[in-house]
């Protein structure tokens, strides 16, 4: 996720910006940059660089951080600190904005790094978020003669502010006019040479705080960036703007009316501030799912007023290849593979097209049969998983059209695939995947529903109903998170069980796989997933009073069958829990605990039923004294076989 820092005060601003950005490194980034209001000329000085912050520092100072091969990490860190201080003697000024970028539109590069400016360089902008209507705005600006330098959505903001500045002659008005035309999410910091004493900030959906110092004020994406200087902050509300001067800050609503309110006082220490007050990144990322799902969904939905009327993937050509496809082949590893298994049910149900799903490490070695009219989909959060990449290359060599679903712009998978669909989950720091999984599901469901329409297997009415249902998923995810105490309580009763089984039928058997993996990874409890109907073909032999069986139940026609499976394990002494859509008591008699998820279309409920399972895994991990963010023996990105 991008990180923003801004400063107005009397200190040399460049080191303040870079040190602030260092405190936001945990958010993940691929490039960095600063823009500083020069103290000696009427211009904004901009420096940016792809890669780690140290490359930006090296570019500014023209010196290297690591001067000898034998330099220890501690020495290199100390020298980096010295060079950061030195940047203040090179780029001089007291007002500035800085940015670490997590690429969305356009690969990581010097050019695509923020800050972005208008053509004359008199306005500079940093942005976190996604501008959904940027293509339309860009085309319009190009018609006005604007020449773009980058591939980013952010650059349109700088040019648009410039356009309105030329019309209104007032920077605040120009920013307001611009914001009224932006669709999507943003946290913004804006500088203008005509107003060298101030910094304008705004937010919608993406986080932004204002830090209040003495004779100095700050903006930042998150509290850690300002904690060294102040604990008094405004958490900017939705659609709010702030204008920062060195001695005061004015807040405004989206119509430009002044807002007056008391700042908040931050009590967190640095470690919990990085996690937004959550105890762990895993919990933070579980809680980020409503936003991640919205970010992934919204740019692909076309609305008529409040009603979703169509799905549109700007990034892929939904042409004859898709309509005439004979089969979809999905390949991935781990959690991403589980998203593929759910997708098999979705594609087959909505688009009536056969789907083969394969673990990439198997696919690559079994001389797979690929047909000309197969659509080949790889799923990878990191876009760097060795086995998934090998499978992708194999499919390409066989002449298949390869679509990648990934979370990382510029990753190897994204570069080598024919077409890429991005999940907009933002960086995932915890090793166990949570928000990447649900956003992968969101992309796959959108594809399946769209394909169902194109191939005529969904009626207009069914299509329209599914669109309304999918549009409501992020809000329902939030409702589950708002009621997590039941799961926490259940975990506190069950975290010492020696065996856990997840069971389900159809979509729910697929969700069981991912639920069991989450629990294994972070709690180290022995956990397996079975299609419920398979229990009596063997696994039931394992059931005893030390077993917990969790049934995922979102298929109303199969509730009775599933309830019979639960009775079978309960009569052998197992403790039982259901995660279900049912509100009529179908599982009340056979389950010790029932977690009800909000009413929704059963075929889409996999995006919801996983959330209680993620929380259960997280709380079991904590109760067993583990670190859920760094499970033993696991790495975030598996770049070796
Ligand atoms: C589990 C997990 C892993 C990954 C797998 C594939 O929580 O994160 O199972 O899903 O290693 O990684 P990507 O999606 O990066 O290819």
């Amino acid at each position: 996720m991008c990180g923003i820092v801004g400063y107005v005060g009397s200190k040399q601003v460049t080191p303040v910006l870079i040190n602030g950005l260092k405190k936001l490194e945990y958010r993940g980034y691929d490039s960095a940059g600063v823009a500083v209001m020069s103290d000696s000329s009427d211009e904004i000085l901009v420096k940016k660089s792809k890669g780690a912050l140290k490359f930006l520092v090296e570019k500014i100072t023209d010196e290297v951080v690591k001067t000898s091969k034998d330099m220890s990490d501690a020495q290199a860190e100390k020298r980096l600190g010295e060079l950061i201080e030195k940047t203040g003697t090179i780029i001089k000024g007291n007002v500035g904005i800085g940015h670490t970028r997590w690429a969305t539109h356009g690969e990581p590069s010097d050019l695509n790094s923020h800050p972005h400016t208008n053509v004359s360089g008199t306005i500079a902008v940093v942005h976190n978020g996604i501008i959904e209507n940027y293509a339309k705005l860009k085309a319009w600006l190009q018609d006005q003669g604007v020449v773009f330098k980058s591939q980013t959505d952010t650059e349109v903001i700088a040019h648009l502010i410039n356009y309105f500045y030329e019309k209104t002659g007032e920077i605040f008005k120009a920013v307001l006019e611009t914001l009224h035309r932006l669709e999507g999410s943003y946290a913004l910091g804006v500088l203008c040479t005509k107003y060298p004493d101030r910094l304008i900030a705004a937010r919608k959906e993406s986080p932004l705080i204002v830090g209040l110092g003495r004779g100095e004020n700050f903006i930042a994406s998150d509290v850690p960036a300002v904690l060294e200087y102040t604990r008094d902050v405004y958490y900017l509300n939705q659609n709010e703007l702030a204008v920062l001067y060195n001695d005061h800050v004015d807040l405004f609503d989206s119509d430009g009316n002044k807002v007056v309110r008391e700042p908040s006082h931050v009590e967190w220490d640095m470690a919990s501030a990085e996690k937004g007050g959550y105890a762990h990144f895993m919990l933070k990322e579980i809680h980020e799912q409503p936003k991640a799902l919205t970010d992934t969904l919204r740019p692909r939905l076309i609305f008529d007023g409040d009603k979703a009327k169509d799905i549109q993937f700007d990034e892929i050509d939904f042409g004859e290849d898709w309509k005439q496809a004979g089969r979809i082949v999905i390949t991935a590893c781990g959690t991403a593979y589980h998203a593929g298994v759910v997708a098999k049910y979705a594609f087959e149900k909505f688009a009536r097209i056969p789907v083969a799903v394969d673990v990439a490490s198997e696919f690559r070695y079994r001389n797979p049969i690929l047909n000309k009219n197969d659509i080949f989909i790889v799923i990878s959060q990191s876009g760097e998983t060795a086995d998934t990449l090998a499978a992708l290359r194999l499919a390409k060599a066989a002449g298949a059209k390869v679509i990648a679903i990934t979370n990382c712009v510029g990753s190897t998978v994204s570069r080598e695939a024919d077409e890429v669909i991005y999940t907009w989950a933002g960086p995932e720091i915890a090793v166990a995947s949570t928000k990447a999984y649900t956003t992968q599901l969101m992309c796959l469901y959108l594809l399946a529903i769209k394909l169902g329409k194109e191939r005529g297997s969904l009626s207009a009415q069914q299509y329209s109903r599914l669109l309304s249902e999918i549009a409501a998923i992020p809000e329902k995810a939030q409702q589950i998170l708002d009621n997590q105490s039941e799961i926490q309580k259940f975990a506190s009763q069950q975290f010492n069980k020696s065996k856990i089984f997840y069971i389900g039928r159809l979509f729910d058997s697929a969700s069981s796989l991912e639920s069991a993996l989450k629990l294994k990874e972070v709690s180290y409890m022995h956990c397996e997933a079975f299609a419920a109907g398979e229990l009596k073909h063997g696994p039931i032999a394992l059931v005893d009073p030390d077993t917990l069986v969790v049934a995922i139940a979102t298929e109303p026609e199969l509730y009775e069958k599933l309830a019979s499976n639960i009775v079978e394990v309960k009569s052998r002494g197992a403790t039982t829990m259901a995660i279900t859509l049912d509100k009529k008591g179908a599982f009340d008699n056979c389950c010790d605990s029932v977690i009800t998820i909000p009413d929704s279309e059963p075929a889409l409920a996999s995006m919801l039923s996983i959330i209680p399972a993620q929380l259960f895994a997280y709380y079991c991990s904590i109760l067993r004294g583990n670190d859920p963010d760094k499970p033993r023996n696991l790495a975030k990105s598996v770049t070796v076989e």
Side-chain angles (χ1 to χ4, degrees), residues 104-106 130-132 134-135 295-302 311-319 321-322 401-407 409 414 417-425 439-440 442-444 446-447 450:
T104 57
H105 299 71
I130 296 172
I131 304 303
E132 289 164 13
Y134 93 99
D295 288 348
T296 304
L297 171 69
R298 288 293 298 221
R300 282 130 186 170
L301 277 189
I302 298 176
I311 294 169
Q312 184 176 308
F313 282 95
D314 288 334
E315 58 271 64
I316 61 169
D317 173 16
F318 230 98
D321 283 357
W322 282 91
K401 171 171 177 144
V402 177
I403 316 290
I405 296 180
T406 180
N407 197 36
V409 176
S414 76
D418 295 308
E419 290 176 349
V420 186
I421 297 172
Y422 288 108
T423 50
W424 299 128
T439 54
Q440 284 161 358
M442 181 57 88
C443 289
L444 289 157
L446 287 170
L447 273 178
K450 177 77 177 168

Side-chain angles (χ1 to χ4, degrees), residues 583-624:
K583 299 219 167 32
K584 294 194 186 137
F587 301 98
D588 287 357
N589 291 334
C590 56
C591 285
D592 299 297
S593 184
V594 177
I595 303 291
T596 310
I597 57 176
D599 258 344
S600 56
E601 157 60 43
L604 301 178
S606 311
M607 287 181 276
L608 301 174
S609 61
I610 189 64
I611 298 175
Q614 294 168 341
L615 288 165
F616 183 64
Y618 171 79
Y619 285 115
C620 286
S621 169
I622 301 297
L623 289 158
R624 292 168 69 92

